[in-house]
Amino acid sequence: MPPSSTRPTTPLDDDDYPAYTMGRAADMLGTTPAFLRALGEHRLITPLRSEGGHRRYSRYQLRIAARARELVDAGTAIEAACRIIILEDQLEEAQRINEELRAAHAAGRQPKPPA
């Protein structure tokens, strides 16, 4: 999932700033550190590391983890939940690109290549 495009004024305004320790993130989500580690193992989220090597999570990553938890709580296996979220993100990106191409075509201009 792409990060938000607004420009933060401080690190606390930045959705991508790794502000939360694993313990705090797990508490906020009502889950365990093992659940967060599993999300990393399945490459759904990749936390940054502090200088001491501890995992640090951003608000953006916590939103993704919360979505995964919803799916797991509904009975979806964690591997499947991670794959579902990744595919949803890819679909959303493809739809965004498609819409840009349609708008460019309707305006009679050349579309810019996808990033």
Side-chain angles (χ1 to χ4, degrees):
M1 297 182 168
S4 60
S5 61
T6 58
R7 297 190 62 96
T9 57
T10 70
L12 294 177
D13 295 328
D14 185 353
D15 270 356
D16 297 317
Y17 183 74
Y20 303 99
T21 63
M22 176 179 277
R24 180 70 181 125
D27 286 344
M28 290 171 69
L29 294 170
T31 190
T32 64
F35 179 79
L36 292 172
R37 282 192 295 275
L39 297 181
E41 290 169 10
H42 294 293
R43 296 190 173 122
L44 181 62
I45 57 175
T46 304
L48 293 176
R49 299 280 181 149
S50 68
E51 288 183 22
H54 300 282
R55 289 173 179 87
R56 304 285 293 198
Y57 296 88
S58 68
R59 288 187 304 219
Y60 174 72
Q61 290 172 324
L62 294 184
R63 285 194 299 272
I64 294 170
R67 173 70 177 126
R69 178 159 186 233
E70 289 173 2
L71 290 169
V72 169
D73 287 350
T76 305
I78 193 165
E79 300 88 6
C82 291
R83 188 68 183 139
I84 288 167
I85 294 168
I86 290 167
L87 289 170
E88 286 174 341
D89 182 53
Q90 290 173 345
L91 176 60
E92 184 179 311
E93 177 68 5
Q95 288 173 330
R96 184 192 61 75
I97 291 169
N98 196 15
E99 191 59 38
E100 286 177 4
L101 292 172
R102 282 188 179 133
H105 179 73
R109 57 183 161 82
Q110 287 291 331
K112 60 182 178 181

